[in-house]
Amino acid sequence: MLQNDTKKIVLHACCGICSGYPVSYLLDAGYSVIVYFYNPNIYPESEYNKRLEAERTLCKHFGVELIEGEYEPEEYYNFVKGLEQEPEKGLRCDKCFELRLRKTAQLCKRLGINDFTTSIVISPHKNFQKTSQIGKNIASEYNLNYLDIDFKKKDGFLKTNKISKELGLYRQNYCGCKFAKRD
């Protein structure tokens, strides 16, 4: 299939580790993948920069385009205001996913691309059904298509870890926000 005939998709990437297998999967499925790194939740900025550098390495390896969103932590803090004491996997996380997927949908509209998904769901610590529903709701608002692919299936999490180890990507030890780091 020629590159011009390939269907485009925007993959929201939370980090290089988590997006390795999803990029590979989508390429194998015939998509032209554009990776969108929008993660204003990541704290501190030095951590954000390490994760962004890992994403750059991964995208270069796969030869896919990377669009770097703005690092705007105040946007995140305003979006989750009042939920600071929520536990990990609670309402604060849902709002965080909503913010990032909403920005992804807005990017899709600007680029004229109908399909998007996220690498967040590859983590065994994330609720696939809940995150997918957030993505579908946002897609419906923007008249787009959210692909609810459970990248964990068929050893996806093992495959993404293998890719990250082969590339020597930075491995974080918390989800990203200062509240997760606190917990």
Side-chain angles (χ1 to χ4, degrees):
M1 188 180 276
L2 295 174
Q3 183 71 11
N4 292 341
D5 295 335
T6 304
K7 191 170 184 178
K8 291 184 177 182
I9 189 167
V10 174
L11 171 69
H12 167 265
C14 54
C15 65
I17 294 169
C18 288
S19 59
Y21 178 66
V23 168
S24 174
Y25 177 100
L26 292 167
L27 288 171
D28 288 348
Y31 284 95
S32 173
V33 180
I34 297 171
V35 173
Y36 182 45
F37 189 85
Y38 177 74
N39 299 290
N41 58 305
I42 298 175
Y43 172 87
E45 188 171 359
S46 58
E47 178 73 16
Y48 175 88
N49 289 327
K50 289 176 189 174
R51 294 183 192 201
L52 177 56
E53 191 55 40
E55 196 65 51
R56 288 176 180 148
T57 299
L58 181 90
C59 289
K60 184 176 180 182
H61 171 77
F62 281 109
V64 297
E65 182 180 354
L66 171 63
I67 296 177
E68 298 174 14
E70 294 293 318
Y71 180 59
E72 43 192 16
E74 289 310 312
E75 176 96 10
Y76 165 72
Y77 292 124
N78 289 334
F79 207 76
V80 301
K81 191 170 184 70
L83 301 172
E84 296 87 352
Q85 299 307 314
E86 279 285 312
E88 190 75 10
K89 301 181 188 178
L91 292 175
R92 183 186 65 248
C93 295
D94 295 348
K95 289 292 286 183
C96 179
F97 301 153
E98 178 187 345
L99 171 63
R100 295 187 282 163
L101 292 177
R102 185 169 300 285
K103 289 285 187 168
T104 304
Q106 291 167 357
L107 175 69
C108 285
K109 289 305 267 189
R110 284 195 307 275
L111 297 176
I113 297 172
N114 291 320
D115 296 330
F116 73 101
T117 192
T118 183
S119 66
I120 292 170
V121 297
I122 200 164
S123 169
H125 305 289
K126 304 297 182 245
N127 183 314
F128 171 75
Q129 286 79 17
K130 195 186 323 185
T131 306
S132 292
Q133 192 58 57
I134 292 167
K136 288 178 188 178
N137 291 346
I138 291 168
S140 178
E141 287 177 38
Y142 287 86
N143 197 28
L144 296 169
N145 183 38
Y146 177 81
L147 273 68
D148 58 341
I149 302 167
D150 192 348
F151 293 113
K152 282 188 286 287
K153 300 256 177 160
K154 298 183 182 173
D155 292 327
F157 189 67
L158 291 173
K159 291 174 184 173
T160 210
N161 278 305
K162 182 176 186 247
I163 291 166
S164 70
K165 286 177 185 169
E166 288 172 358
L167 296 176
L169 299 181
Y170 168 73
R171 292 189 69 82
Q172 66 271 7
N173 60 6
Y174 65 102
C175 184
C177 74
K178 72 178 181 181
F179 310 112
K181 187 173 173 93
R182 168 193 72 197
D183 296 342

